[in-house]
């Protein structure tokens, strides 16, 4: 597996793998239950990780254009 593919797995593991550990309602973060905050956080982090993957992807390089 290429490192770029492993980088793409980070959001998947964070979102789904962390849900059992983040399944708490008592701490409120920004007015949201912790589980909702966890999901929103990973949606934002997924966008950041995919932007990094797009930036370092060698297949995305355009030559001669």
């Amino acid at each position: 597996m290429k490192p770029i593919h492993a980088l793409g797995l980070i959001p998947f593991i964070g979102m789904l793998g962390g849900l059992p550990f983040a399944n708490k309602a008592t701490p409120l973060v920004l007015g949201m239950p912790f589980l909702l905050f966890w999901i929103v956080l990973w949606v934002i982090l997924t966008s950041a990780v995919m932007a990094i993957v797009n930036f370092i992807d060698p297949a995305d390089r355009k030559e001669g254009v």
Side-chain angles (χ1 to χ4, degrees), residues 5-65:
H5 294 138
L7 190 61
L9 282 175
I10 291 173
F12 178 78
I13 293 169
M15 177 94 61
L16 294 179
L19 282 179
F21 303 108
N23 193 11
K24 297 178 178 80
T26 50
L28 293 178
V29 181
L30 301 174
M32 297 180 281
F34 188 71
L35 181 61
L36 179 61
F37 171 75
W38 182 263
I39 293 171
V40 169
L41 175 72
W42 275 105
V43 167
I44 294 168
L45 288 176
T46 298
S47 299
V49 169
M50 290 300 118
I52 293 169
V53 167
N54 187 32
F55 181 73
I56 64 174
D57 186 14
D60 194 38
R61 305 276 187 257
K62 295 180 180 159
E63 297 184 23
V65 177

